[in-house]
Amino acid sequence: METTGTIIKGVGGFYTVLTDEKPIVCKARGIFRKNNKKPYVGDLVSISIPENPDEEGMIEQILPRKNTLLRPPVANISQIILVFSYYSPSLNEDLLNKMLLQCEHIAVRSVICINKSDLITDEEKQRIEEMFRGTDYPIRYTSVLEEDGLDDLKELLSGEVTVFSGPSGTGKSSLLKKILPTKSIEIGELSRKGNRGKHTTRHVELFRIEEESFVADTPGYGNIENLNMMSDALKDLFPEFDKYRQDCRFNGCNHINEPGCEVKNQVGTAISPRRYDFYKRYYEEIKRQERW
Ligand code: ZN
């Protein structure tokens, strides 16, 4: 008998597939390995159910993916919540910007979550918001300590497959513990192991929080992969440039040194100088690598 389900866990060649009725532990057909197509957590799969309940099921087919995140390896996600703090550790703006680029690159919605909001003032919040002017990135402030902003964040999870990502020390695990109704212990365990670095195989697990809502904890994934793109493509990942690019004098303007550049013209007004500065530095960095 066959059915479909979502892979919520994959460890050592065994995949837990959540079907309508229950989770079924499955193996994957050898053909996937042969074709170099490894099942990912988050994959929708068709499986054959074992007749003997003590045996494993078999993943027969991986249904087409909407997207694939490589670090952590998760498929079919609908949004990434980037958890950062402003103090302790202090906000790494470049890392946040790079993570946003990564989300843009795979066309996944991103949410900026500034945790430990009890430590920051309204002026500092304003400073954060100013940096992202002209973008649609939702910004949420949360404090586990003061239980502030948690319901607001929870609302964003409904009906979505959400990955929480961010550098260590920003309180991601305690935040997850607070907002997830169940499985909190496992998440704590997972993250502690991840932080200690004893886990060589970092595994990701999806937790179902409602019928159609899943959350992935991603222990140890604070960093990002290289974007692996040409410098000319970078400008397209800055949504605040969109409105102005058609007013640049040159087609395909990179908004660096070209005369008559409307994007540059807007820096300081509609576009944040800090974001533009990041763009320029990152552009040069990619450009340098291209020369090698
Ligand atoms: Zn331009």
Side-chain angles (χ1 to χ4, degrees), residues 139-142 148-157:
I139 303 177
R140 295 289 182 275
Y141 301 94
T142 53
D148 201 29
L150 302 178
D151 289 337
D152 204 25
L153 194 65
K154 262 191 242 175
E155 265 174 38
L156 288 176
L157 306 180

Side-chain angles (χ1 to χ4, degrees), residues 248 253 255 261:
C248 292
C253 177
H255 324 308
C261 173

Side-chain angles (χ1 to χ4, degrees), residues 101-112:
L101 291 183
Q102 196 182 24
C103 296
E104 293 286 342
H105 195 48
I106 57 169
V108 168
R109 186 179 117 97
S110 47
V111 176
I112 299 166

